[in-house]
Amino acid sequence: MQQSNLEIHAGSRQATTAQKRKGKLAVAVFLGVWMILIGGGAFGAKWYIDRMQTNITADIERQTTAQIQQLQSSYDAALKELEQQHTEEMNALKGKVDALNELLTFAKDNADTKTDNSNKLYTQLNEVKKQLNELKKNLDVLK
């Protein structure tokens, strides 16, 4: 009976050891699977974040390029408009300066006592008007 008790006890000890081994093996497998899942999740998160960062960077670059082009075109248009206004103002000012020069020359010619013809500029203007009228007539004939 003692032998059977010892056999039972030895058999139960082996069963307990086997159960402990199975339990340890199960825990090891569970921890291994859990670590693989955590590692896979971390890798997937890193990959996704990198991909999203690349996409966002590309989108921002496209938007920035479009905004820069829009700014450049509006700047060019404003610059052309300012240049045109400047040119028009310079032409108007040039016309005023030319008119003033003609008046000054006319006044100088009239004030000069040494010349026989006191209205040189006036005479020249009349000649230019005559030539202009002749050119207009010629142009009308050509039409």
Side-chain angles (χ1 to χ4, degrees):
M1 204 151 134
Q2 263 187 343
Q3 203 176 21
S4 22
N5 253 351
L6 286 174
E7 288 177 7
I8 293 174
H9 189 44
S12 75
R13 203 181 249 180
Q14 287 176 350
T16 306
T17 307
Q19 284 180 347
K20 284 182 182 180
R21 283 186 193 160
K22 281 185 182 179
K24 286 181 182 180
L25 182 62
V27 168
V29 169
F30 175 75
L31 288 176
V33 169
W34 189 250
M35 294 300 270
I36 289 171
L37 288 174
I38 289 173
F43 175 76
K46 172 78 170 114
W47 175 79
Y48 182 73
I49 288 171
D50 289 345
R51 186 172 154 207
M52 289 303 293
Q53 185 178 15
T54 303
N55 289 343
I56 289 171
T57 303
D59 287 345
I60 289 173
E61 185 177 335
R62 278 192 299 268
Q63 290 172 0
T64 303
T65 302
Q67 288 174 348
I68 288 173
Q69 287 175 349
Q70 184 181 11
L71 262 168
Q72 182 69 35
S73 64
S74 67
Y75 175 77
D76 289 342
L79 191 61
K80 279 185 179 181
E81 183 179 336
L82 286 174
E83 185 178 351
Q84 183 180 3
Q85 288 176 355
H86 177 71
T87 303
E88 290 172 359
E89 289 175 3
M90 290 300 290
N91 287 338
L93 186 61
K94 184 178 184 242
K96 289 179 182 179
V97 168
D98 289 344
L100 182 61
N101 280 338
E102 288 176 5
L103 286 174
L104 288 174
T105 304
F106 182 72
K108 180 183 170 191
D109 287 348
N110 281 338
D112 194 7
T113 56
K114 295 181 183 178
T115 60
D116 293 337
N117 186 5
S118 62
N119 274 342
K120 287 181 184 176
L121 184 60
Y122 183 73
T123 307
Q124 289 174 355
L125 284 173
N126 280 337
E127 289 176 13
V128 169
K129 284 183 182 178
K130 286 179 187 177
Q131 289 176 356
L132 183 63
N133 286 336
E134 287 178 27
L135 286 173
K136 284 182 182 177
K137 287 179 185 176
N138 289 340
L139 184 63
D140 289 337
V141 169
L142 288 175
K143 286 184 180 179

